[in-house]
Amino acid sequence: MKDVLISAKSLKKEFYTGETSQTIFENLTLDIYKGDFTIIMGASGAGKSTLMYSLSGMDRPTSGSIVFSDKEITEYNDDELAVFRRKNCGFVFQQIYLLEKMSLMDNVLTAGALCNDNKKDVIKRAKELFSLVNIPEITQKKFSTQVSGGEAQRAGIVRAVINKPSVVFADEPTGALNSNNSEAVLNVFTKLHREGQSIIMVTHDKKTALRGNRVLYIRDGQIFGDCDLGNYSETDNERERKLDRFLTEMGW
Amino acid sequence: MRKIKSQLIYNLKKDKGSYISFGIVVLITAIMLNLAFVLLFQVDKAYDDKFNRLNTASFNFTILKIQNDDTLKEDIRALDDVVDIECREAVFAEAVVKDFRDTDFSMNTLFYNKDEFRNMNKLDIKEEKAEMTDNSIYLPLYVSAFGEFGIDDEIVYEIGDTKHSFKVSGVAEEMQYGNYGKGLMGAYLPEKVYEKFAEEYKEQTVMEYSVITNGDINTLQNEISDLTEKKGITMLTSCDRVSTKDTRTMVCNLIILVLSAFAMIILLVSVFLCKFRISNSIEEDMVNMGVLKALGYTGNMIIAGVVLPYLMVTVFASLSGVVLSYSVLPVLAEILTLQAGFSFALSFDIKGLICVMIILAVIVSLFTYTSAKRIRKLQPINAIRGNGEGKSVKKNYFPLDETNGRTKFLLVMKQTFSNGKQNVLLFGVSFVLTILVAFAGTMFYNVIIEPDNFISTLSEEMPQIIISPDMEQEDFISDELKSNTEIKSVLKYAVGTVNTDDMPVTVFACEDFSRVSNDLCYLGENPDEKNEIALGSAFEGKYDIGDRIEMHNGDISHFYEVTGFVQSVNYQGNVCEFSLEGYEMLCSEKLVPALYVYLDNPADTEKIFKEIEETYSDKIISIMNYQKMTETTQEMYSGITSVIVVVIFILTILIVLFVLYIVIKTLLVKRKQELGIYKAIGYSNRQLMIQTIGSFLPSSVIAVLLSSALGMIYVPKINQFIFETIGAMKNNMEVSFVFLMIFAFVQITANLIISILLTKPIKKISAYALIKEG
Ligand SMILES: Nc1ncnc2c1ncn2[C@@H]1O[C@H](COP(=O)(O)OP(=O)(O)O)[C@@H](O)[C@H]1O
Ligand SMILES: [Mg+2]
């Protein structure tokens, strides 16, 4: 039996644009387990990102409850959420969003400084993580605009995990990358997952989805399907067939 | 053009608040500039028009009737360039006007026969009664308007011991005399009243000569004084076109100068603001511009999109400013009338409009264009990649892994330095803004808080009480007063008139110039020995320090050595200073100087004045509450000036707020996405606020403090320029370091409050929305 890490109940999210409102999901209930590499799939505009950012305390659901590591985070105010995020959540974005005016290393340390006052420790961990994602020292000193998309995104992952978050949230992290770069980035995620890191990743790419062990499908504002794939392995073709069948069923 | 239009509208909309604030700053500049221009173009002209319409003489002088010589008129007429000459009889009296604005105002007055035909120095009757009484008088507009004497009011002239009460039956504008700061005025009596009055003061009846010349006024004066000197005639009074105009338009000129200086500094502020805004909007919109370039827009089209909104705002705001200024002008004209002594209407001035528009439009477009020029060099690909101009290699300031220190502090330093250019501009804006504050604040300080500084610049020695003692009692009274604990000091001081080259020169003689309260000397030294003299600024250039000059009084004359130069705005520098012994040498009788009394607390003047008056009533000829008279003069000079200064001061505060608003807003808009990222990572609002404010506050704080401190140097320079232009070589305007620092702190606090108010909304936006918006 896996431990529940995030438990969402009766979630509802509405967007108001002027006069009209749009309900993205309603009465949505969902458990996320510790140690899982959870994939969220669905058509474009289905509300994948919206759901993920709600779960992570980056955005607020219109109503409903989210219990994250036994804490009700919907009751937190802005600053409490910020403090909560720095300890529990790491974010990886499609647009990467590294801070432009500093080196990759400094981007990572900027996040690291939030949870650990021992600078030496933080630097040591950053260096280890950089070598884990294969970014050499010379590149660590470059700016985000001076490195390839793949390198930038791997630095983004280092930034996301520097504070040993409970969950890494990744919103289409390979969406803007070519296939070589994608591969390298996904390998980092697999590596992290194997070390026990919980990950929630939004994607609409089947190959990417294969990296996860659980695939959720969002449709009509609901968790339309939930598929247990088992852990990733490069050689197991059965998983790929299982995912194909699942997605066909979902109307992908 | 349509393509540019969409860009332009996009730019305007994107940043409404900033354009509105910029517009308001330009609007204020335009109001100030237009006021200055309209005054400059119209007051002078209105003055000359009225001067010519009344056929006013270029030079007037009086001599005692008994000295008059029929040949004098013909001799003057025969001089080169003399167009016309007129003689008329009058009574000269050293009079004191009672109840002039609640005080006794000493004013030498020439009483004329109003009904005598005047070809020159005509009167423009403003108001009059149909019936005359046997004590009717017509007052010059000056005395009537400022002294608050209306038709049918009683006015009392005290001449010697006699009080003459008149009933005001008319008010006339004349262009002959200066203002009462100069202490010489006219008064016009109906024929019957005059005849009676002249009978009483036969020995004071004078001949006034009024001369019109085509040529130089100084040459004429010199030629006439040569003539009178040859004939052994002494001039009692004189006034000439130029110095009369100078005194009457002095406050107006001062206002023009203050307004222009103020407008120039605001202009400087707006120019820096433009530069700041543009270089920032280029950075903000880099990607957009890159995309537009990639789509095939030319550099100039994009530049037009950036520059045109500023130009449009400028044109619109300066037009509105010019229009708005006309609502202020009538009020300004009315108050100026009090000081200028003639009424005038200010009308719409197309020249002013054109000048304001050209100055503002040209300067703003020039600066916006040069700031926007670099858009042309922007490579689309670099722009899209957010690489800026491509060429600028970015430096990672304070690498966190290699620099010692707390990361959160280092982050602030990083922000400060990686936004270096922005901070330099911010420094510039804050610096010039502080010049504005320092200038307006100093004006405020010297006109409103310490008005003596301003007034003493425009006037002469200002004791609280002046006593004319009986000759034998002088030393006795002086000694007794000195022992009075409430009295700070007592000075023997004499004022009179002597001649040089037969021109009347006002004399200030004092027992010890090192003890005066208003040291007039701006060059060299005050006279100390009896053969020394300090000359008014009118003589600078003609004489040097160390030269010898001959001074006459009646038949007596002596040579004096020039020790320095003194200023006197009221007398257009036509003054001199002697030591008491020095002046005595020129006097035929024993000189009895007045006692100038200075109090520890000027607020007690009324009380002590009464005490002295009672105690010594039998030992003094007259006693004057000079403090009160000073206040009255002060009202003339500072009344309107303080209105202007207060307005300027309020506008300054508004400008400071608007500029800070634009600047800080700009800084934040640019950082919005960055802030979103920080928020996503888990930085709290408070951390981000501190970090953001911390990254730009220091440069503006340093600029404000530095500029305030340097204000001690540049504000006196600005003041010097302004006051020298109106003839005050040395001004007593004080630049208070404490005051400047107080303002610096107010400015810094405003900075902080606005920053906090503007950074607050970050709180409301979720990190998610910030990221999505970016
Ligand atoms: N801030 C917002 N305001 C209004 N509508 C929004 C906002 N954010 C997202 N939406 C809408 O919500 C829906 C889901 O968006 P999103 O979760 O980003 O979809 P995706 O599944 O592609 O990630 C979309 O229709 C989008 O237009
Ligand atoms: Mg999405």
Side-chain angles (χ1 to χ4, degrees):
Chain A
M1 194 53 199
K2 288 174 179 168
D3 293 335
V4 175
L5 182 63
I6 308 174
S7 177
K9 286 203 178 63
S10 314
L11 278 195
K12 176 177 180 180
K13 180 74 191 180
E14 271 180 329
F15 281 117
Y16 299 91
T17 23
E19 306 279 281
T20 62
S21 73
Q22 182 193 3
T23 308
I24 311 299
F25 45 77
E26 199 168 357
N27 209 11
L28 184 149
T29 297
L30 168 70
D31 283 337
I32 301 285
Y33 302 102
K34 203 166 175 178
D36 267 6
F37 189 158
T38 311
I39 301 288
I40 301 176
M41 289 191 80
S44 179
K48 307 181 290 287
S49 303
T50 308
L51 174 63
M52 193 190 84
Y53 286 121
S54 291
L55 293 178
S56 61
M58 191 84 123
D59 195 9
R60 290 171 189 280
T62 313
S63 66
S65 111
I66 298 164
V67 175
F68 193 129
S69 301
D70 301 327
K71 274 159 241 133
E72 178 60 60
I73 65 166
T74 48
E75 286 168 3
Y76 285 172
N77 68 23
D78 250 28
D79 278 350
E80 285 166 340
L81 273 179
V83 174
F84 168 81
R85 277 200 303 272
R86 60 170 90 133
K87 291 200 190 111
N88 293 289
C89 311
F91 290 94
V92 180
F93 308 97
Q94 176 177 2
Q95 295 89 335
I96 306 174
Y97 290 134
L98 289 174
L99 294 165
E100 279 175 21
K101 287 174 198 127
M102 48 176 90
S103 66
L104 301 185
M105 173 57 106
D106 285 357
N107 260 283
V108 171
L109 297 181
T110 300
L114 280 171
C115 293
N116 191 344
D117 281 337
N118 187 333
K119 213 163 127 179
K120 280 209 185 99
D121 272 6
V122 181
I123 293 174
K124 192 165 150 256
R125 175 160 164 84
K127 284 188 172 154
E128 284 166 15
L129 288 168
F130 271 121
S131 74
L132 179 84
V133 301
N134 283 322
I135 291 184
E137 208 158 311
I138 181 155
T139 313
Q140 293 166 21
K141 291 202 182 339
K142 289 186 180 173
F143 286 85
S144 59
T145 46
Q146 297 168 325
V147 301
S148 77
E151 284 169 321
Q153 192 57 294
R154 278 179 278 149
I157 298 172
V158 173
R159 185 181 65 181
V161 299
I162 184 79
N163 290 328
K164 305 183 184 151
S166 328
V167 188
V168 172
F169 294 89
D171 190 357
E172 305 197 32
T174 57
L177 303 178
N178 65 28
S179 58
N180 278 348
N181 275 329
S182 291
E183 203 57 28
V185 166
L186 290 175
N187 287 340
V188 171
F189 277 106
T190 300
K191 235 189 250 181
L192 288 170
H193 180 221
R194 287 183 177 150
E195 288 174 6
Q197 176 72 55
S198 313
I199 300 169
I200 301 178
M201 182 188 288
V202 170
T203 183
H204 54 233
D205 175 47
K206 213 171 64 185
K207 255 182 112 179
T208 307
L210 276 176
R211 300 284 178 146
N213 66 316
R214 180 191 184 196
V215 181
L216 301 172
Y217 197 89
I218 299 196
R219 208 175 109 181
D220 306 330
Q222 289 297 322
I223 307 292
F224 200 66
D226 187 342
C227 170
D228 188 355
L229 272 185
N231 282 349
Y232 176 71
S233 102
E234 286 85 346
T235 51
D236 188 350
N237 291 334
E238 185 49 38
R239 290 177 78 252
E240 193 169 347
R241 258 170 275 144
K242 192 170 177 185
L243 182 61
D244 275 342
R245 274 200 305 277
F246 173 70
L247 289 177
T248 317
E249 223 173 280
M250 295 291 111
W252 171 254
Chain B
M1 194 62 211
R2 212 170 54 234
K3 291 175 212 142
I4 297 175
K5 210 171 121 196
S6 65
Q7 261 298 95
L8 191 147
I9 291 171
Y10 163 78
N11 280 331
L12 269 175
K13 274 194 179 155
K14 199 184 60 151
D15 229 352
K16 254 181 288 161
S18 296
Y19 285 111
I20 290 173
S21 301
F22 176 73
I24 289 173
V25 174
V26 173
L27 182 104
I28 294 174
T29 320
I31 293 177
M32 296 292 138
L33 271 181
N34 197 53
L35 288 178
F37 277 127
V38 172
L39 292 182
L40 185 67
F41 293 146
Q42 295 192 7
V43 176
D44 199 63
K45 195 171 164 296
Y47 185 96
D48 289 347
D49 283 352
K50 184 149 280 181
F51 185 90
N52 291 330
R53 198 158 57 77
L54 298 181
N55 199 26
T56 315
S58 325
F59 182 63
N60 297 287
F61 66 92
T62 56
I63 57 175
L64 279 178
K65 198 175 172 195
I66 40 169
Q67 285 198 331
N68 195 24
D69 174 341
D70 289 340
T71 58
L72 182 61
K73 187 170 179 185
E74 292 320 305
D75 287 347
I76 293 174
R77 196 192 289 282
L79 291 173
D80 284 347
D81 295 325
V82 168
V83 177
D84 204 354
I85 178 163
E86 194 170 72
C87 290
R88 120 176 14 89
E89 204 190 277
V91 173
F92 174 75
E94 293 177 354
V96 173
V97 180
K98 294 292 196 182
D99 251 341
F100 185 95
R101 285 217 151 192
D102 295 333
T103 183
D104 296 348
F105 209 99
S106 69
M107 195 183 296
N108 294 342
T109 308
L110 279 160
F111 292 88
Y112 296 96
N113 174 357
K114 172 189 94 65
D115 298 324
E116 187 182 358
F117 171 76
R118 284 171 171 257
N119 179 34
M120 280 186 220
N121 297 342
K122 288 184 203 163
L123 302 174
D124 189 357
I125 308 290
K126 291 272 118 179
E127 275 181 280
E128 63 184 326
K129 291 273 287 189
E131 296 127 49
M132 295 297 117
T133 57
D134 57 0
N135 65 344
S136 281
I137 192 170
Y138 277 56
L139 295 179
L141 180 65
Y142 248 145
V143 180
S144 145
F146 197 70
E148 292 164 351
F149 294 106
I151 295 285
D152 278 343
D153 285 352
E154 188 195 37
I155 181 170
V156 176
Y157 283 88
E158 189 178 57
I159 303 166
D161 293 335
T162 330
K163 287 194 171 103
H164 294 269
S165 168
F166 295 99
K167 186 171 179 172
V168 181
S169 298
V171 175
E173 277 183 35
E174 49 70 42
M175 301 301 279
Q176 179 183 1
Y177 292 103
N179 62 22
Y180 32 79
K182 223 172 164 173
L184 182 65
M185 275 288 150
Y188 309 89
L189 307 175
E191 187 141 20
K192 283 214 177 84
V193 185
Y194 176 78
E195 277 168 1
K196 201 174 122 228
F197 189 75
E199 193 55 42
E200 202 174 331
Y201 291 98
K202 240 185 192 135
E203 69 284 10
Q204 274 166 257
T205 308
V206 295
M207 282 308 280
E208 176 178 76
Y209 283 77
S210 305
V211 187
I212 294 181
T213 175
N214 275 337
D216 179 54
I217 194 79
N218 280 326
T219 318
L220 178 75
Q221 280 185 30
N222 291 336
E223 285 169 347
I224 291 178
S225 55
D226 284 348
L227 278 176
T228 51
E229 201 171 347
K230 253 184 254 150
K231 295 176 195 286
I233 301 173
T234 312
M235 275 188 203
L236 274 177
T237 68
S238 78
C239 56
D240 68 89
R241 191 181 64 200
V242 177
S243 62
T244 299
K245 185 171 175 179
D246 282 349
T247 21
R248 285 174 88 148
T249 52
M250 179 182 77
V251 169
C252 183
N253 290 332
L254 183 70
I255 288 168
I256 293 175
L257 285 162
V258 170
L259 287 174
S260 324
F262 185 65
M264 286 306 139
I265 308 177
I266 312 181
L267 206 58
L268 199 65
V269 174
S270 17
V271 160
F272 261 87
L273 199 61
C274 274
K275 252 189 124 56
F276 179 81
R277 280 287 311 142
I278 288 185
S279 76
N280 273 291
S281 63
I282 291 176
E283 275 171 53
E284 280 164 34
D285 264 357
M286 188 94 79
V287 176
N288 244 316
M289 290 173 184
V291 173
L292 286 174
K293 271 206 162 175
L295 289 179
Y297 279 77
T298 64
N300 278 337
M301 287 159 90
I302 303 175
I303 291 177
V306 174
V307 172
L308 279 179
Y310 282 96
L311 206 57
M312 278 167 48
V313 169
T314 305
V315 168
F316 181 75
S318 38
L319 265 177
S320 321
V322 168
V323 171
L324 269 178
S325 70
Y326 282 98
S327 63
V328 186
L329 274 169
V331 186
L332 202 60
E334 199 169 308
I335 320 177
L336 272 174
T337 297
L338 277 187
Q339 199 276 322
F342 74 103
S343 59
F344 53 91
L346 297 169
S347 57
F348 177 75
D349 198 309
I350 189 77
K351 262 191 300 176
L353 175 73
I354 294 173
C355 290
V356 172
M357 294 300 281
I358 288 181
I359 290 179
L360 289 176
V362 165
I363 291 185
V364 169
S365 42
L366 204 75
F367 274 84
T368 47
Y369 182 77
T370 47
S371 321
K373 217 170 51 190
R374 64 194 176 106
I375 293 177
R376 216 182 284 149
K377 296 201 199 100
L378 208 65
Q379 290 303 310
I381 183 60
N382 286 327
I384 289 172
R385 282 188 134 208
N387 251 352
E389 281 107 303
K391 60 180 189 294
S392 67
V393 181
K394 283 191 202 162
K395 189 169 179 307
N396 187 22
Y397 293 96
F398 303 100
L400 298 175
D401 52 335
E402 291 160 22
T403 321
N404 288 326
R406 280 174 58 86
T407 306
K408 281 163 203 162
F409 171 72
L410 291 178
L411 281 174
V412 174
M413 298 304 288
K414 267 171 111 69
Q415 288 291 348
T416 310
F417 279 80
S418 55
N419 293 325
K421 199 169 169 195
Q422 212 174 35
N423 270 307
V424 168
L425 281 174
L426 179 61
F427 184 93
V429 173
S430 309
F431 195 93
V432 287
L433 208 53
T434 309
I435 298 182
L436 185 68
V437 173
F439 171 67
T442 300
M443 278 283 159
F444 186 84
Y445 181 82
N446 288 283
V447 176
I448 311 286
I449 298 183
E450 296 283 347
D452 280 356
N453 293 342
F454 176 67
I455 295 306
S456 64
T457 301
L458 302 182
S459 45
E460 290 79 34
E461 188 59 13
M462 301 190 299
Q464 273 81 48
I465 297 169
I466 297 180
I467 302 169
S468 303
D470 283 337
M471 197 193 298
E472 321 74 63
Q473 302 293 341
E474 170 133 43
D475 291 323
F476 169 72
I477 298 177
S478 170
D479 290 341
E480 263 202 15
L481 290 179
K482 275 177 193 164
S483 62
N484 183 329
T485 50
E486 283 171 297
I487 291 172
K488 193 165 66 183
S489 62
V490 178
L491 260 185
K492 287 181 186 166
Y493 204 103
V495 178
T497 313
V498 295
N499 294 65
T500 180
D501 306 330
D502 204 49
M503 291 305 300
V505 180
T506 301
V507 174
F508 303 123
C510 179
E511 61 175 319
D512 183 359
F513 279 103
S514 68
R515 279 163 54 207
V516 295
S517 64
N518 187 16
D519 186 356
L520 302 175
C521 183
Y522 65 90
L523 195 70
E525 277 162 33
N526 286 306
D528 195 22
E529 302 293 325
K530 69 180 198 178
N531 60 345
E532 289 178 344
I533 188 171
L535 293 172
S537 49
F539 296 89
E540 202 185 335
K542 280 186 250 172
Y543 293 92
D544 282 325
I545 292 174
D547 284 356
R548 276 155 61 79
I549 178 172
E550 189 178 17
M551 308 300 288
H552 313 261
N553 189 16
D555 303 332
I556 312 168
S557 69
H558 274 287
F559 276 95
Y560 294 88
E561 189 186 321
V562 179
T563 56
F565 288 93
V566 297
Q567 71 177 21
S568 167
V569 175
N570 277 323
Y571 299 85
Q572 300 305 311
N574 211 359
V575 297
C576 68
E577 278 182 357
F578 290 114
S579 63
L580 276 182
E581 301 75 30
Y583 184 35
E584 188 136 39
M585 297 200 298
L586 282 176
C587 299
S588 48
E589 301 163 27
K590 181 170 163 43
L591 177 67
V592 187
L595 293 175
Y596 279 21
V597 180
Y598 302 82
L599 305 183
D600 284 320
N601 181 6
D604 294 337
T605 308
E606 187 66 36
K607 189 189 92 192
I608 297 177
F609 172 78
K610 289 230 167 75
E611 279 173 22
I612 300 178
E613 199 177 26
E614 278 166 28
T615 320
Y616 302 104
S617 59
D618 55 337
K619 298 190 178 66
I620 58 181
I621 299 168
S622 73
I623 174 164
M624 186 164 28
N625 182 340
Y626 198 73
Q627 170 86 4
K628 214 162 186 188
M629 203 166 136
T630 309
E631 279 163 14
T632 306
T633 330
Q634 195 164 314
E635 270 176 65
M636 166 178 80
Y637 288 131
S638 66
I640 181 159
T641 317
S642 46
V643 172
I644 299 272
V645 164
V646 169
V647 169
I648 281 184
F649 191 67
I650 293 171
L651 291 180
T652 301
I653 293 173
L654 280 181
I655 290 173
V656 169
L657 294 181
F658 279 119
V659 170
L660 285 178
Y661 169 81
I662 306 185
V663 166
I664 296 171
K665 182 142 196 205
T666 304
L667 293 172
L668 291 177
V669 165
K670 222 187 122 203
R671 289 202 59 204
K672 210 162 173 190
Q673 192 189 55
E674 212 178 318
L675 290 170
I677 298 171
Y678 274 106
K679 254 191 135 172
I681 297 173
Y683 275 78
S684 68
N685 288 315
R686 215 173 63 89
Q687 279 174 328
L688 289 180
M689 259 162 97
I690 293 172
Q691 202 199 91
T692 308
I693 295 173
S695 69
F696 64 74
L697 209 56
S699 60
S700 68
V701 169
I702 293 171
V704 169
L705 289 177
L706 188 71
S707 186
S708 294
L710 288 179
M712 300 300 292
I713 300 166
Y714 63 68
V715 173
K717 289 248 158 33
I718 301 176
N719 286 340
Q720 175 115 10
F721 171 77
I722 289 177
F723 282 96
E724 257 182 34
T725 314
I726 61 161
M729 301 313 188
K730 181 181 104 173
N731 65 76
N732 302 332
M733 305 288 275
E734 206 180 308
V735 185
S736 156
F737 188 72
V738 177
F739 208 64
L740 289 187
M741 282 299 139
I742 290 174
F743 274 112
F745 281 105
V746 169
Q747 217 180 320
I748 290 168
T749 315
N751 229 319
L752 200 65
I753 292 172
I754 293 179
S755 318
I756 291 172
L757 288 181
L758 283 177
T759 38
K760 242 186 168 156
I762 297 174
K763 231 178 190 167
K764 296 202 199 99
I765 310 165
S766 71
Y768 176 49
L770 268 176
I771 284 195
K772 286 191 97 167
E773 261 182 50

